[in-house]
Amino acid sequence: MSSSRPRSPRPRATTALLGAGIALVTALTASGCGDSGSPGSGDAKRSSTSGAQDGGAPTGPPLRWAACPAPSVAQGVSPDGKAPGKDWECAKLPVPLDYAKPDGEKIELALIRAKARDKGKRLGSLVFNFGGPGGSGVATLPGLATSYDKLRDRYDLVSFDPRGVGDSAGVRCLGDKETDAAAEVDGTPDDAQEERAALAANKAYVDACAKNSAKLLPHVDTLSAARDMDRLRAALGDAKLTYFGISYGTELGAVYAHLFPKNVGRAVLDAVVDPTQDTVEGNLGQTKGFQLALGDYLKDCAASARAAACPTQDGIVSLLKKLDGQPLPTRQGRKLTQDEAVNGIASALYSKDTWKYLTQGLQEAMNRGTGDTLLVLYDLLSGRGPDGRYSNLQPANRAISCADSRDRFTADDVKGLLPRFRSASPVFGEASAWSLLGCTGWPVEGKWKTVDVSAEGSAPIVVIGNTGDPATPYEGAHRMAEGLGKGVAVELTYKGEGHGAYNSGNACVVRTVDAYLVDGKAPAQGTTCS
C-alpha cells in the first residue's frame, strides 16, 4: 500500500498502489502543511514567477512548440509505442531548480498540448495533472483525450511532466534489473531475518536515489511544482490558471490555490486527497478505502451471472498466505510474489471496468496455480513495461512524497501499528503499514506534517468526491473543501466505484463539470450524481 497521498514511499513497485492512477486503466484496457515549511502568500510573492502575480500580463520568452516524439521510457511508453499524432505539440519550459535562487540553475519541464478546435470561441488553456505523484502528463493526456473531447472545442488541452517526473529532470534510483530484484524481497516481514532483508532493501533504494539524483531531491516538492504551474500559466499566455487535477493532482492544485489564489480561474479537483491527514492517518484511511472497494467488488461479482466463479475474501487471504512462501509461476518466467499479488489486486480496484481482470487473475491463481494476470496488473501499476524497463514513476513517487512529508518511521513504529492496519484490512493492512518505512533514512527533510490548502480570495473550485473511491476515500473531498475555505469550494458527490468520477463516464458528472469549465456555471453546493 502507499502513503497518505496517492503516492508510494516504499522502495519498489509492490507498493505503488496509486502511482499509475488513471493511466493504469487506460493501459490495462489497451492491453486485453501547516508550519514553517508550509506555503504562504508571502512566500508566493518572494518566489514570483515569469508572469505577474494576481493575473497580471505574462512575460518571458514564448514556448517553442513542435511535433511530439514517442513517449520516452522514463515517461512510460504508450501501448503502441508511437508518437501521439499530428494533433499534439510538445515544448520545454525552463524553471528554476531552486526557487530560493530564481536566477540560478534551470531545469526544463516537458509539456504537451492539443489546440482548441473552435479558435473563434477559444477560452484559453486547460491544464491537467493526472496524479501520482510520478505520473507523466505528457504520456497520459493523449490516451485520455477522447474523455475531454467537448472541452477541447473551447480549450487547448495541456499537460506536463512535473519536476522530477518523466522527461522533466526525472529522478533516478535503481536500474531495471535492480528494481526487479528488490521486488523479490518480502515487504511484509514475518521474522527477524525477513525484517533485516526488508530494511536493507529500503536502504539500498534510498542510497541509490541519493547517489543518482542528489541535486534534484531537495527540489521536487509540491510547493516547487505549484510554482512551476504559475510559470506555465504565464508562458501559456493565460491571466488565470484553468485547471483539472486528479488524485495527487488535487493536492497540487490546492497548493497552487493557496500560493496564488488570485491567479485561479476555473478549477476542478477530482479523486480528492485529504489534506488533514498525516502519513499514518492517510495510510490507514486508504487501507480502509481499498478494503471497501474490495468488498464492493466481491458483492458485485457474487450477484452476477459469474457468481460460481467468484472468489471470497477468505479465499483471497488464504491465497496470499500461500504466496508468502510459494510464489506462483508465470509465462514471463518471473514469479508472482505475495506483495505483487496484493498490489495486483489493488490495481484492479481503480476502476469498475477492471474488476473483470481481477476475477480472471484470482481464478488463475486459485484454480490453475499461475500468476499471469495479477502480475500484469502489478506491472502496469508499477510502471514496468513488457520489455522489463521501468518508467520513473517509482523513484519520482518516492522522491516527491519524501520531499513533502516530514514523517519518518522505524520498524518498531510499524510493528506497533500493525494491529490497527490488520483490523482495517486483512488483505491490504500489512503492506500499507510496512510502506511507512519508505522515507526512513531519506537524505532530505520533508516540508510539512499536513498540507495547508487555505485559499481565501480564490475563484470557486469544484471538489468531487466518489463514494466508492479506494485510493482517495470520499471523506477527503469534504475535508479538502473545508480546508480551501468558505466561499471557495463547491462540493459535488458521485455515488460510484473506482478512482475518480469524471473519467468514469457518468453523464451527470461530465455534464456538471463541463458546464462549469465551459460556461462558468458552478453546480449547486452539495450536488449529487449517481
Short mmCIF file of all heavy atoms in Angstrom, two decimals, residues 33-39 43 223 406 446-448:
data_model
loop_
_atom_site.label_atom_id
_atom_site.label_comp_id
_atom_site.label_asym_id
_atom_site.label_seq_id
_atom_site.Cartn_x
_atom_site.Cartn_y
_atom_site.Cartn_z
N CYS A 33 -0.27 21.61 5.64
CA CYS A 33 1.12 21.77 5.70
C CYS A 33 1.20 22.74 6.75
O CYS A 33 1.27 23.64 6.86
CB CYS A 33 1.59 22.20 4.43
SG CYS A 33 1.26 21.43 2.87
N GLY A 34 1.32 22.98 7.46
CA GLY A 34 0.94 24.00 8.41
C GLY A 34 2.05 24.55 9.24
O GLY A 34 1.79 24.82 10.28
N ASP A 35 3.28 24.75 8.95
CA ASP A 35 4.24 25.38 9.86
C ASP A 35 5.28 26.09 9.03
O ASP A 35 4.98 26.50 7.93
CB ASP A 35 4.87 24.35 10.81
CG ASP A 35 5.23 23.07 10.10
OD1 ASP A 35 5.75 23.19 8.99
OD2 ASP A 35 4.98 21.99 10.64
N SER A 36 6.51 26.19 9.54
CA SER A 36 7.50 26.99 8.83
C SER A 36 7.80 26.45 7.45
O SER A 36 8.28 27.18 6.59
CB SER A 36 8.79 27.05 9.65
OG SER A 36 9.32 25.76 9.84
N GLY A 37 7.50 25.18 7.22
CA GLY A 37 7.76 24.62 5.91
C GLY A 37 6.57 24.69 4.98
O GLY A 37 6.64 24.26 3.85
N SER A 38 5.44 25.22 5.46
CA SER A 38 4.24 25.21 4.63
C SER A 38 4.17 26.44 3.77
O SER A 38 4.80 27.45 4.05
CB SER A 38 3.00 25.14 5.53
OG SER A 38 2.87 26.33 6.27
N PRO A 39 3.40 26.38 2.66
CA PRO A 39 3.32 27.52 1.77
C PRO A 39 2.53 28.65 2.39
O PRO A 39 1.66 28.45 3.22
CB PRO A 39 2.59 26.96 0.55
CG PRO A 39 1.80 25.83 1.08
CD PRO A 39 2.60 25.25 2.20
N ASP A 43 5.32 33.84 0.95
CA ASP A 43 6.29 33.01 0.24
C ASP A 43 6.05 33.06 -1.25
O ASP A 43 6.98 33.10 -2.04
CB ASP A 43 6.14 31.57 0.75
CG ASP A 43 7.25 30.66 0.28
OD1 ASP A 43 8.28 31.18 -0.12
OD2 ASP A 43 7.06 29.43 0.34
N LEU A 223 5.41 22.19 -3.32
CA LEU A 223 5.48 23.65 -3.34
C LEU A 223 6.17 24.15 -4.60
O LEU A 223 5.69 25.07 -5.28
CB LEU A 223 6.24 24.16 -2.11
CG LEU A 223 5.55 24.06 -0.76
CD1 LEU A 223 6.55 24.40 0.34
CD2 LEU A 223 4.37 24.97 -0.69
N ARG A 406 7.22 15.13 6.41
CA ARG A 406 8.26 15.06 7.43
C ARG A 406 8.28 13.73 8.16
O ARG A 406 9.23 13.43 8.89
CB ARG A 406 8.04 16.16 8.47
CG ARG A 406 8.49 17.51 8.01
CD ARG A 406 8.49 18.46 9.19
NE ARG A 406 8.79 19.78 8.66
CZ ARG A 406 8.29 20.89 9.12
NH1 ARG A 406 7.44 20.84 10.12
NH2 ARG A 406 8.60 22.04 8.59
N GLY A 446 11.43 16.55 4.94
CA GLY A 446 10.16 16.92 4.32
C GLY A 446 9.70 18.30 4.72
O GLY A 446 10.13 18.87 5.72
N LYS A 447 8.77 18.84 3.94
CA LYS A 447 8.32 20.22 4.12
C LYS A 447 7.22 20.37 5.17
O LYS A 447 7.09 21.40 5.78
CB LYS A 447 7.81 20.78 2.79
CG LYS A 447 8.87 20.94 1.70
CD LYS A 447 9.83 22.06 2.03
CE LYS A 447 10.73 22.41 0.85
NZ LYS A 447 11.60 21.32 0.42
N TRP A 448 6.36 19.35 5.32
CA TRP A 448 5.20 19.55 6.19
C TRP A 448 4.76 18.26 6.85
O TRP A 448 5.14 17.15 6.44
CB TRP A 448 4.04 20.15 5.41
CG TRP A 448 3.57 19.38 4.19
CD1 TRP A 448 3.16 18.08 4.15
CD2 TRP A 448 3.47 19.87 2.86
NE1 TRP A 448 2.80 17.73 2.87
CE2 TRP A 448 2.98 18.82 2.05
CE3 TRP A 448 3.73 21.11 2.25
CZ2 TRP A 448 2.75 18.95 0.68
CZ3 TRP A 448 3.50 21.24 0.89
CH2 TRP A 448 3.03 20.17 0.12
#
